[in-house]
Amino acid sequence: MQFLIRWVLAPLVRMIWRPRVQGVQNVPPHGPVIFAANHRAAVDTAVIPLVTPRPVAFLAKAEYFTSRSLKSRLMGRFLGALGYVPVDRANAKAGLAALEAGRTVLRAGGTFGIYPEGTRSLDGRLHRGHTGVASLALSTGAVVVPVGLVGTEKVQPVGKKLPRVARVEVRFGRALDFSRYDGLEGSAAIRRAVTDEIMDAIADLSGQEYVDRYHRRPGEAAAA
């Protein structure tokens, strides 16, 4: 399955959607790396692994890996071949489980993809990042490569299940090293400073207007 995705599916996707990729030389060839990206469409999680020179682990619903239905089993095999990590999102401690899954990947020297906003942007702007990305970087020593995704919302607009053909850009920024904060993961101020630095880099790459408040989906209460 990994061979099929890397050598058949990925070239096919690149041929159809012809993504423009900038700054791929900023991706370290070895060691733990966090890809921190803006989030415009569900297809984002497929785009990044298909254009990076290294396999990228993202989180996926555990049901894809545990369900007995044929559709879910096939999806689980597909996601597993892409390097996705199963997480039970229905669990009350899903957030902690997600961070621990990321740490496991990074401590093994792998790469992990995360959207600091926590959800897709529905208004096109880049919103305040949650500090989980900083916690991962500070606890594992991983560098953070900011990623700006442009045009993916045209490939899969909100509410549409089937992707459309549209040109997208994937922009990789220079790797951010936060080793100067070694031992300070427990500081909320440091985690916020690291997260804000990452979000500033993503904003520069994506060209989005930055909003210094958490994104709220319709019906959600404001975050404290």
Side-chain angles (χ1 to χ4, degrees):
M1 182 68 80
Q2 181 68 247
F3 176 86
L4 178 66
I5 291 172
R6 284 283 167 185
W7 300 105
V8 179
L9 180 60
L12 181 62
V13 169
R14 286 193 289 267
M15 181 177 68
I16 295 174
W17 278 277
R18 297 176 298 132
R20 296 188 182 96
V21 183
Q22 301 176 16
V24 72
Q25 71 276 4
N26 291 321
V27 179
H30 308 289
V33 176
I34 298 169
F35 289 100
N38 60 320
H39 197 13
R40 299 297 310 276
V43 74
D44 294 343
T45 306
V47 169
I48 295 174
L50 291 174
V51 300
T52 57
R54 297 178 62 182
V56 184
F58 275 92
L59 298 180
K61 292 189 294 185
E63 300 94 281
Y64 288 134
F65 299 85
T66 59
S67 174
R68 295 183 179 181
S69 74
L70 177 60
K71 180 180 179 180
S72 291
R73 288 203 305 269
L74 290 174
M75 179 60 74
R77 289 189 62 187
F78 176 74
L79 295 177
L82 278 176
Y84 284 41
V85 179
V87 169
D88 183 2
R89 296 182 180 181
N91 191 302
K93 297 182 179 179
L96 295 176
L99 290 179
E100 190 53 40
R103 289 190 185 97
T104 298
V105 171
L106 295 167
R107 285 169 179 159
T111 72
F112 187 72
I114 190 171
Y115 303 114
E117 289 174 277
T119 188
R120 281 178 287 171
S121 174
L122 299 179
D123 61 12
R125 298 182 294 179
L126 185 71
H127 293 257
R128 193 177 202 221
H130 295 272
T131 59
V133 62
S135 179
L136 283 176
L138 296 173
S139 64
T140 64
V143 297
V144 178
V145 173
V147 183
L149 297 170
V150 180
T152 56
E153 75 283 359
K154 298 176 183 177
V155 173
Q156 192 172 18
V158 175
K160 302 295 182 181
K161 293 185 178 180
L162 296 178
R164 302 174 177 180
V165 176
R167 199 72 181 269
V168 302
E169 291 188 36
V170 185
R171 303 167 180 169
F172 296 98
R174 65 177 182 83
L176 304 176
D177 182 355
F178 297 104
S179 58
R180 62 188 183 277
Y181 297 126
D182 280 352
L184 297 177
E185 179 198 352
S187 168
I190 293 297
R191 293 196 303 271
R192 172 46 55 193
V194 168
T195 302
D196 288 347
E197 183 175 339
I198 294 168
M199 298 310 293
D200 284 345
I202 295 173
D204 287 342
L205 292 165
S206 70
Q208 292 169 278
E209 176 188 352
Y210 179 72
V211 180
D212 193 23
R213 61 176 180 270
Y214 297 118
H215 192 20
R216 293 169 56 193
R217 300 185 72 84
E220 287 183 339

